Amino acid sequence: MDRRKVIGIGVGLAVLPTWWALRQVANGTKRDWHTDTAPLERAFPLLGPLTDAKWVSSRDNDRGIPSPELVISGFARLSPGKLAELAAAHTFVSEAPADGFSSWFEKPLKGEGPENPQWVRSHELDREGSGYFTKLWFDRRSDTVRFRALNPYGWAGH
């Protein structure tokens, strides 16, 4: 093979990964989490309209393991004044989440969320939440809720 062809192929192979990475950035590569708030507002109607969200689902990047269960986990920002409204109607206690994001699908959330949160929780709100197993933690300083819910839309799924 001609030496120029070999050099040309080598340069092409060296440039291709850089071109692909730049193209992904330019096209806005899909993040590892969802940012849409509508599914969360449907799952947690008591939280009212949400202004921001980062969340994942156990059905994201499905690993081929069939399961009727859906788990959603993440963070959402409450609208101004909503946490005060909830605190006036429900009892809150200081309680941080017992674990980090330990499930395989929750890995993208590690390191996300409010800085130095001061978590509080209302067990009443957990019982009133949608789904069969809902946990909600609130950070008063940032109006952020951290959530984890099993089958938040009922058994029909997402």
Side-chain angles (χ1 to χ4, degrees):
M1 189 180 281
D2 185 289
R3 182 176 171 191
R4 283 184 274 168
K5 283 184 181 179
V6 171
I7 291 172
I9 291 171
V11 169
L13 290 175
V15 171
L16 185 60
T18 304
W19 169 82
W20 182 83
L22 290 173
R23 184 170 176 213
Q24 296 295 66
V25 169
N27 290 337
T29 301
K30 182 181 179 293
R31 290 208 168 107
D32 291 335
W33 56 71
H34 303 275
T35 58
D36 47 336
T37 59
L40 301 179
E41 291 168 355
R42 200 170 75 236
F44 311 116
L46 295 171
L47 301 182
L50 301 169
T51 62
D52 188 32
K54 285 183 183 176
W55 60 280
V56 294
S57 153
S58 60
R59 294 191 183 151
D60 293 343
N61 302 319
D62 191 349
R63 292 185 165 192
I65 302 171
S67 173
E69 297 181 342
L70 167 70
V71 178
I72 60 172
S73 182
F75 300 98
R77 178 88 33 106
L78 302 171
S79 59
K82 185 63 179 181
L83 185 52
E85 178 186 317
L86 291 170
H90 301 279
T91 303
F92 280 82
V93 295
S94 290
E95 185 179 323
D99 61 351
F101 296 106
S102 57
S103 294
W104 63 266
F105 70 93
E106 294 176 308
K107 300 291 186 215
L109 296 173
K110 286 188 183 256
E112 297 297 323
E115 191 172 315
N116 300 316
Q118 295 178 352
W119 297 115
V120 294
R121 184 171 173 203
S122 169
H123 294 276
E124 297 168 29
L125 282 174
D126 288 352
R127 285 190 296 275
E128 291 179 23
S130 297
Y132 298 95
F133 180 75
T134 299
K135 288 187 177 182
L136 304 169
W137 296 271
F138 300 86
D139 177 35
R140 291 183 190 264
R141 294 187 313 172
S142 66
D143 285 333
T144 298
V145 60
R146 177 179 165 183
F147 57 88
R148 190 168 206 282
L150 170 65
N151 293 321
Y153 311 106
W155 289 102
H158 178 52

